[in-house]
Amino acid sequence: MAQTEEKTKKQTDNRGLAGQVIGETSVCAVNQSQLMYRGYEIADLAEHATFEEVAHLLLIGHKPAPEELSSFKSELVSMRAIPDSVKDVIIQIANNSPQTHPMGVLRTAVSLLSHLCPVCEDNNADADLKKSMQLLAKIPTCIGVHQMALDGKTPVDPDPNLDHAANLLWCMSGEVPHESEAKVMDVSLVLYAEHDFNASTFTSRVIASTNSDLHSCVCGGIGALKGNLHGGANEAAMEMLQEIMTAVESGSTAEEFMQNAFETKKKLMGFGHRVYKNGDHRAGILRSWGLKYANEAHPEAIKWFDLGDEVQAIMLRDKNIHPNVDFPCGMTYFAMGIPVPQYTPIFVAARITGWCAHIMEQHQNNRIIRPLAHYAGEELRNWND
Ligand SMILES: CC(C)(COP(=O)(O)OP(=O)(O)OC[C@H]1O[C@@H](n2cnc3c(N)ncnc32)[C@H](O)[C@@H]1OP(=O)(O)O)[C@@H](O)C(=O)NCCC(=O)NCCS
């Protein structure tokens, strides 16, 4: 085999670090048959744990006793407010640049918060935990201020009587959510909280490994999550379903849309996964919660689940590719009336826990992450030739 061909083959085999184990973690295990947060299986957590309990599990490292949970929750509530200067910038972006994607706004908000954080540059365990909790508490407030400003409303203060999920919905709309709505949001946050070395967590860990600060790691994580091959897929999946629905309502069919996508090698958003080749453990759980909610509260939204089922069946029949968690997430948040561009920021409101758990793990047992690249460029040559 010629030298260049061999080089290219080596690089192709390794593209996207597929199948490579590149480090160790005690936070989460992801494999074909299981997803576990610190030893607890995801279906168990979705059924029995609240998001705050999961946040405690991930950040502090164990399932909270009732009194631990109560003080953890009170501390989070006390941290929810954001400085006026940060609020003002978010409102200005909404007013002057309403087309800016909310993930960009959130990245800016986290960066601004870092300048006002007295322990920003301190990477010791206590400071990292404090910063993690501050961001966990403040992110729903930032998302809410932005959405309210986009809607031309005055942002509301976080409500100390509401849990994380319900408070997020309150901040985004100024309306106290119904219990069933808050529950579906809570379950979705549990499902989104953590997922080992996915692209955004890996990004955060790479930044942490240089001894950079937690806020910088989170800004990097937000940037990585924004893309539609990762967290941005929940928005992209819903936009794709809307496109298919428009086609169907104009006399075409989902089948026609799908066959056209296959022929043109267009990716179907919300399908496929790097690790789960036989299905994403989280997808079925969220679909049933979303459908239950639609049945009870918004029967007019059931058509999205029906269309989703049709698309899912065609994808399985023709490509043997399963939906991932972002597929039912799109329909579920749509049924709840959440604006599509806020789906990925909501993902951040959950994944902040996983990112921070990994950043702390990296800071506490660090070696800089610096892999090698296989060089596939020109052979050595002289500048004057
Ligand atoms: C998630 C994703 C990035 C994983 O990428 P990956 O691990 O490199 O993908 P795979 O190696 O499993 O792909 C195998 C084959 O299935 C195809 N495939 C995978 N996901 C697909 C999708 N959503 N739509 C159409 N085809 C898809 C690939 O194009 C590839 O085909 P090829 O062999 O003809 O090139 C990919 O499935 C994807 O882009 N999905 C859509 C975006 C999404 O939902 N992201 C959220 C992930 S939780």
Side-chain angles (χ1 to χ4, degrees), residues 191 279-288 323-329:
L191 297 173
D280 179 335
H281 310 297
R282 304 161 298 175
I285 301 173
L286 191 52
R287 182 192 172 278
S288 29
N324 56 57
V325 67
D326 295 315
F327 194 59
C329 173

Side-chain angles (χ1 to χ4, degrees), residues 15 18 195 227-234 237 262 265-275 277 280 282 315 319 321-322 324-327 347:
R15 280 183 75 219
H195 216 213
N228 67 6
L229 296 188
H230 189 14
N234 58 8
F262 296 152
K265 298 222 168 287
K266 189 176 162 187
K267 283 236 167 128
L268 279 299
M269 289 301 165
F271 284 89
H273 198 273
R274 171 57 63 79
V275 182
K277 298 306 178 198
D280 179 335
R282 304 161 298 175
M315 198 65 176
K319 296 284 171 188
I321 297 178
H322 295 259
N324 56 57
V325 67
D326 295 315
F327 194 59
F347 194 155

Side-chain angles (χ1 to χ4, degrees), residues 102-295:
M103 284 294 275
V105 177
L106 199 51
R107 191 189 57 229
T108 296
V110 170
S111 193
L112 286 171
L113 287 168
S114 77
H115 308 312
L116 303 166
C117 171
V119 288
C120 176
E121 302 300 337
D122 190 344
N123 293 345
N124 79 39
D126 288 347
D128 267 0
L129 178 59
K130 180 134 262 121
K131 287 184 280 186
S132 304
M133 291 181 64
Q134 287 276 355
L135 286 179
L136 170 59
K138 287 178 177 20
I139 280 171
T141 318
C142 296
I143 296 172
V145 168
H146 185 228
Q147 188 55 47
M148 291 289 272
L150 284 175
D151 290 340
K153 299 183 193 161
T154 308
V156 292
D157 289 333
D159 185 335
N161 299 310
L162 298 176
D163 286 344
H164 192 78
N167 177 61
L168 169 65
L169 291 166
W170 156 254
C171 287
M172 288 176 76
S173 65
E175 287 168 28
V176 176
H178 186 272
E179 214 176 293
S180 60
E181 199 180 352
K183 177 62 189 169
V184 182
M185 177 53 73
D186 191 83
V187 172
S188 76
L189 299 181
V190 167
L191 297 173
Y192 266 146
E194 165 53 7
H195 216 213
D196 87 358
F197 281 23
N198 60 85
S200 57
T201 304
F202 185 52
T203 302
S204 302
R205 286 193 77 129
V206 170
I207 300 173
S209 83
T210 68
N211 280 344
S212 186
D213 64 284
L214 183 136
H215 285 82
S216 295
C217 303
V218 170
C219 286
I222 294 175
L225 191 76
K226 182 169 180 269
N228 67 6
L229 296 188
H230 189 14
N234 58 8
E235 295 174 23
M238 193 60 219
E239 283 159 3
M240 182 190 78
L241 266 190
Q242 287 174 307
E243 207 184 322
I244 302 175
M245 187 67 87
T246 306
V248 170
E249 286 173 352
S250 330
S252 182
T253 58
E255 182 76 49
E256 201 175 319
F257 180 97
M258 300 286 285
Q259 295 310 327
N260 183 265
F262 296 152
E263 274 161 34
T264 55
K265 298 222 168 287
K266 189 176 162 187
K267 283 236 167 128
L268 279 299
M269 289 301 165
F271 284 89
H273 198 273
R274 171 57 63 79
V275 182
Y276 304 131
K277 298 306 178 198
N278 304 317
D280 179 335
H281 310 297
R282 304 161 298 175
I285 301 173
L286 191 52
R287 182 192 172 278
S288 29
W289 278 96
L291 184 57
K292 182 168 170 278
Y293 170 79
N295 266 309

